[in-house]
Amino acid sequence: MSNGEKIIEANGVDLCVQTFGKPDDPAILLIHGASASMLWWEAELCERLAAAGRYVIRFDNRDTGHSTNYPPGRPEYSLPDMATDAIGILDALGVDRAHLVGRSMAGAIALVAADQYADRVASLTLVSTTTGDHDLPPMSSDFIEYTSSGGPNPEDREAVVEFIVGLQQRYSGPSVYFDENVARALAEADVDRTDNVAACLVNHFVIDTGSRIDFGSVAKPTLVVHGELDPIFPVEHGQALQKAIPGANLLVLEKAGHEVPPQTWDVFVAALVEHTAG
């Protein structure tokens, strides 16, 4: 472990966690999406939120980074289990309530946590996620073709890094914000600290996602954040999510794709700090 990372036991598994800021400040728990470790919530972003008076928590989901992993293709958990993991982290850190921020697949994790553990969740921020309605615009054909190719040999470090860089490029789509050097540095760091690369590449895509979410019953203050040029869930997905959740607000990140690039952090951080002030 380095840079303040530590392993905690939560929900019967080991999860790698890192915190930024003062524990007495309002807590923000950052939950990332499929196959992404805590590193994809960049440390600089976490530090900016902490400097704005927030206690920021990021962590490795199961099958990423240094957290508990399972045989490739055979994850012994469901998406609702991952929601319980998030609450278990709050327990381990002595946090009564937190503002949950879920990106992509983790938007569903945050929503399930808010439903199952309402008293522990102060607000929701749903980044680059979707209602899943079938009449919404589809994923880009380029992304579908790329991810349907079978993926890299998990034992070939360079091949895995190249695959992740290509994946990040497709997440960005037509956005001018994609920086290959930054993506490569993050991919290399992520691969080098991942205990089970093979599991990381596949397991989140084969888990049981649980029952469909009733968006109309979401009772937490909700901020929907979506990239204007998102090729995975086009911006109409974010608009539909905002309409489906009572009282939700929508922030569209101009020129951004599926990610939250540094060029958008001034706007994103300001909006998230305002949303988590209560």
Side-chain angles (χ1 to χ4, degrees):
M1 300 297 103
S2 61
N3 300 321
E5 295 179 14
K6 60 182 179 181
I7 299 293
I8 64 172
E9 184 177 348
N11 194 22
V13 296
D14 290 336
L15 299 172
C16 186
V17 175
Q18 186 179 27
T19 63
F20 302 78
K22 301 175 182 177
D24 291 339
D25 286 336
I28 292 178
L29 179 64
L30 302 174
I31 316 170
H32 217 303
S35 296
S37 76
M38 68 165 75
L39 296 190
W40 297 94
W41 289 114
E42 293 92 332
E44 183 181 346
L45 174 60
C46 297
E47 289 163 354
R48 288 181 63 163
L49 287 166
R54 298 294 178 266
Y55 181 50
V56 182
I57 308 161
R58 66 175 186 172
F59 70 102
D60 296 331
N61 277 312
R62 303 189 197 200
D63 280 319
T64 72
H66 294 312
S67 291
T68 291
N69 60 79
Y70 299 83
R74 291 187 286 136
E76 299 171 11
Y77 58 95
S78 65
L79 188 144
D81 290 325
M82 298 174 80
T84 303
D85 291 350
I87 302 303
I89 289 171
L90 302 185
D91 292 339
L93 296 177
V95 175
D96 290 333
R97 297 172 78 238
H99 301 273
L100 303 191
V101 182
R103 190 190 298 190
S104 196
M105 180 191 81
I109 296 173
L111 282 160
V112 171
D115 179 60
Q116 298 293 322
Y117 306 94
D119 60 331
R120 308 297 301 280
V121 178
S123 75
L124 292 169
T125 300
L126 308 175
V127 183
S128 305
T129 190
T130 179
T131 61
D133 291 341
H134 296 303
D135 59 348
L136 291 169
M139 296 179 179
S140 74
S141 56
D142 183 41
F143 174 78
I144 293 173
E145 181 179 352
Y146 186 79
T147 54
S148 301
S149 63
N153 176 356
E155 297 182 1
D156 184 338
R157 177 187 181 275
E158 297 308 315
V160 175
V161 168
E162 288 301 323
F163 177 79
I164 295 172
V165 171
L167 189 64
Q168 295 304 309
Q169 186 172 28
R170 284 155 181 84
Y171 280 152
S172 294
S175 174
V176 297
Y177 294 147
F178 176 71
D179 186 320
E180 182 174 344
N181 292 330
V182 171
R184 187 175 303 280
L186 264 173
E188 290 175 341
D190 201 16
V191 171
D192 289 343
R193 70 180 289 279
T194 298
D195 294 337
N196 189 335
V197 172
C200 181
L201 289 171
V202 302
N203 279 0
H204 287 174
F205 299 98
V206 297
I207 62 172
D208 178 2
T209 58
S211 59
R212 184 172 172 80
I213 295 166
D214 180 4
F215 296 101
S217 69
V218 176
K220 298 298 177 181
T222 300
L223 174 65
V224 175
V225 180
H226 217 94
E228 177 187 23
L229 304 177
D230 190 336
I232 312 306
F233 300 136
V235 69
E236 290 86 351
H237 291 245
Q239 293 166 345
L241 189 62
Q242 183 261 329
K243 291 176 182 176
I245 297 175
N249 293 315
L250 174 64
L251 170 65
V252 175
L253 300 177
E254 295 181 0
K255 301 180 182 179
H258 192 63
E259 299 296 275
V260 183
Q263 294 89 341
T264 68
W265 287 355
D266 284 347
V267 172
F268 178 65
V269 168
L272 187 54
V273 168
E274 180 179 1
H275 180 62
T276 57

